[in-house]
Amino acid sequence: MDDLVIGMAGSGGDGIVSAGESLISAATYEGYYAMMTKSFGSQVRGGESSCRVRLSTHRVLNPGGALDVAIALNWDDFLKFGAELPVAGTTIVIYESKTGVAPDALPLVGVAPREVFAVPIGELAKQGAGSDKAKNTVVLGLLAGWFGLARTSILRGLRKKFIKKGEALVAANEKAFQLGEQYAKEHPLATPRAMDAPGVQPGSRLLTDGNDMAAAAALFAGCEFFGGYPITPSTEVMQFFNREVWKYGGAVLQCEDEIAGIGAALGASFAGKKSMTSTSGPGLSLKSEIMGLASIAELPLVIIDVQRGGPSTGLPTKSEQSDLFAAAYSAHGDVLRPVLAPTSVADTFDVTVEAFNIAERYQTPVIILSDQEVAQRKETVDPIDPARFTIETRRVPTAAELTDYQRYRFTDDGVSPLSHPGMQGGNYQGAGIEHNERANPTASGKLHEQMNAKRFKKLAPLQRRKDLFHIDGNPKAPLALISWGSIAGVTREAYEAARKEGLDVKLLVPWLVYPVAEEIYRDFFSSVRSGFVVEQSYQGQLYRILRSYVEVPAGVVAFCRSGANPIQPGDVLAKLRTASLTLQEPAVQVPVED
Amino acid sequence: MPTSVAALAAYQSKDFKSDLKPIWCPGCGDFGVVQAIYRALAAIGRAPHDIAFVSGIGCSSRIPGYTTAYGFNSVHGRALPIAQGIKLANPDLLVLVASGDGDGFSIGGGHVPHAVRRNIDITYIVMDNQIYGLTKGQLSPTSPKGLKTVTSEYGSLEEPVNPLMYMLAYGAGFVGQGTPADMAGLADVIEQATRYPGFSFVNVQSPCVTFGEDDDQVKDHRANMKSLASLGHDPTDRLAAMGLAQGYGTDLHTGIFYKNPNPPPTFDAQMRVRQAELAPKALPRERILDMFVQR
C-alpha cells in the first residue's frame, strides 16, 4: 500500500490533533510524504476536534477523499465533521468501545465499512499510562500495529515530546503505545494493509504549514516589518514573524485594529522597508481603504488574506475560496491590484517571495490569497533551493534624479523612482489625493486620467507572466480543468487520474488570479469545448471573473460548492468522465426543412 | 566667524516652507500653526529630509504639503498608525503627525489611546477648531453642546470630548496647548513636544473663520488666553494638569499642562535594544527554511 488516509475525531481534550502531529512528524522524518489538516468547532477549548493525516510514498496533493481509516473516540464529535471525515465501504473503522455503540449498529448512514473494531482505548490508556490522557498514544500504537507505520520514529517523537516532564511520563506513554500496538497484533485486519517503505533517507524533508511558510518566505524576501491584528485563521503568520523578525532588525506591531495594522505596515513601506500585514475575511474588508491608499501612493505592500467561510464571521475555522471578488475589487476608484494564490504549503514559499518581488518592482499592494486549508494544514515539503529565487528591491532614484526629483514621473514602464525619508533630495508628499508628477495635489481631470493610465500600465507585464501559471496536458485537449488555491491540489489529482484513464484533458492552475491574464486564458481555451473551473465557493468566483474578461467556451462551467463541503478528487473525476462521454456524442443533426 | 545666532543655526524657518500655496481660507488659524511649525523645526535643527510629517484628511491635514519635509497626506483618521509604522521602520527620523478634531477624535479616535500607551516617539499636533471645515461646517466631536450647524440644525445634543483630559487620562507623557494668537508660545510648545522623548501631544486652538462661531476668534484668543506658566502651574504635576484641563471649552490655557519629568523608555528605544539582543540568533536568510526540517 502506498497511500493511506486516516481521519480521527474526539473532544478537545482527547489530544487527537496531537496524535496527528506526532504521526505526521514521524512519517515525514522517515521519508514519507504526508499532509495533515485539522478541523475544529469554533469553541476556544473543549468542543469537537479532528484531524486527517494522509501518508504516501509519493507526493501528496490534497488531504484525500474517503477515509481508509476512521477513528472515533466519541461518535457525537466524529459525526459533527460530516463530509470532512467521509466513511466509505472501503474504510476501516476504529472506535472507543466505551461509547456503547455495537459494531453492527454504527451511526453511519448508508455505508457498511469494510472492517470495524470497537477498542477499549481509554482502558488501555489507563492500563498503560495510568491515565486516560494517553488515549491518543494508544491510538498511535494501534496505527503502528495495524499499518506498520513509523514505529521507531513515533517512539522517538514521544520521547522528545514528554522528556521535559520526566522519564516516568516517557515510560508511561511508551507503555500505552505498546498496548495499542499489541491490541492491533492480537486483532489482525482481515486483509493486512501495511504501508510500503518510503524511498528517501530520514531527515531530509521539511514539515510545516502554510502560515509559517508564508512568514518564513517573507523573512527570506527581506520583509522587516509587520503590522496587524489577530484573526483566525491567519494569526500564525504574525506569531511566527514576531518570533523571528526581531533577529533581523525588524519589528512586529500588534495594532489596536485591522486598519491600524495595515496603516502601520504602509507607513513602514513609506519609510523604505519591505512590509506586510495578514488578515482574514472581515479584516480584508476593513483594510480595503488603506489598500486603495497604497495603490494611489504607489507604495509596495504585501497583504496576506487567509480565506475562511464568509461573509462576516461566517465559518471562521473552515476553509473557503470566497474572498476573490473582495481581493480583486474591494476598493473604491479605478484600481488594479495583483492577487496571487498559493496552492500548497510548498508553493506558499514561491508565491510569497513572488508577491514581495511584484510589490517592490511595481510599487503596488499585492494580496496573497491563501485559504485556511493551505494555511493551517501541515505538509511534507521537498527541500527548497534558495538559489533559485531572485530577491527584488524597489527602484530608488539615482543621484541625478534626486537633483530634480519627481516622485511620480511619467516613465516608459509606468514605474517611477521611489525615495524614502532620510534620502536627501527625495523629499515628496506621499498622498491619497491625486497628484502631479511632483506629488503635488491636483484636481485636474487630465492628470487624473494620466495617473490612472500610469498605474495600470505598470502592471501590464504581469499579463504575460507565463511562469505564474501551471499548464499541463495536451495543449489541443478539448476537455479542461482550471482550479486555484488549495482546491487545485484536489483538481490536479483528478486530472492525473483522468489522464491515466486515457481522457484527453488539460489543466491550468494560476498563481496569479488577478488581474486576469487574458492572452494566457485565450490560448488555453482555444482548443476547449468542455471543462470545469473547480473552486470551493458558492458562486465560483474565478469562473465569474474569467467570464468578464475572456470568452469562456460555453461548455466550460463552474464546479463549486461552499466551504466545509470539501470537493474530492473523485467528484471532479466523475464530472470529467461525463463531460468526456458528452464530447464523444455525434453532433445532433438538425433535419433540413424543405 | 559667525556673527549672529541666526548664522549659527543649521536651518531657518524658511528652509521648511514649501512652494505650495495653502488652500486655507484667508484668516484661517492654520496659517499661524504652520508658521509656528517652521519656527519649531528651525529651532530643532533636523534636516527636512530627516523629518516625516504625516496627516489624515481635513483642512489641517494639508499642512505637511506646506513644509519641505517628507510628507504623507493619508486617509481620514489613520495618520497615527501610519506615523508609528514610519518611526519603527526608521527610528532615526523625526516624526510629526498633524490632525484635526474630526480626524483625530472622531474617525481616528480609536487609535489615540494606543498611540499614547505604546509611547512611540512621535509628536501629535491637533488643530482643534470645533467644526468640520473642509466639508463646510458640520458638527465636530469637540463642538460645544448646543452648537447649531448644518448637521445640528436645532443645536447639538452631545457633550464634546475634552482632548486634553483624554490625553492626560490615557497617560501621555507630554500634553500642551497653544493658539496661533500667540505664535511664539505655540512654536515653543511644539518645539518642546518634539524634543520630548516619547509620545507628545499639542492641542492647537486654531480658529475656523469661515464656519466657526464668529470672526473675531483670534482677537478673543489674544484677550482671553492664560499662560499656564503665568498661573504658576507645575507641569510635572499630572493631577493639577487634569484640574486645569477641565477648563477646556471655556478657558484658553496655553503652554505645557504636563511633561513627565522621568520619561519612560520609548517603544522605539526598547525595540532597538531587543533587535540588538536577538541579532546573534538570526539564521542566514538562505537557511531560514532549516527550521522546518524534521530531525
Side-chain angles (χ1 to χ4, degrees), chain B residues 17 35 38 61 85 88 97 106 111 117 119 137-138 162 175 223 230 236 260:
Chain B
K17 184 177 182 304
Q35 290 297 332
Y38 298 149
S61 287
L88 296 186
V97 186
S106 201
H111 302 304
R117 72 182 172 85
N119 195 32
Q138 298 80 17
N162 179 335
V175 176
S230 72
T236 65
N260 188 337

Side-chain angles (χ1 to χ4, degrees), chain A residues 459-472:
Chain A
L459 293 170
L462 280 177
Q463 301 254 354
R464 299 185 289 276
R465 285 283 305 274
K466 286 193 176 152
D467 59 318
L468 300 178
F469 293 80
H470 304 274
I471 300 174
D472 295 288

Side-chain angles (χ1 to χ4, degrees), chain A residues 5 22 70 123 146 159 177 217 219 235 239 254 272 281 288 297 339 346 362 399 423 449 481 527 541 568 586:
Chain A
V5 181
S22 297
E123 211 173 284
W146 270 317
R159 168 163 289 278
F177 178 86
L219 275 180
T235 312
Q239 291 172 184
Q254 180 181 329
S288 66
V339 181
Y362 300 117
M423 191 179 279
E449 177 76 11
L481 289 171
S527 68
Q541 297 188 353
Q568 308 292 359

Side-chain angles (χ1 to χ4, degrees), chain A residues 219 248 256 273 422-423 430, chain B residues 49 70-71 89 118 283 285 294:
Chain A
L219 275 180
Y248 298 87
E256 56 274 19
K273 295 286 167 68
M423 191 179 279
Chain B
H49 68 260
Y70 276 89
R118 240 169 242 143
L283 282 174
R285 282 193 200 270
Q294 290 301 292

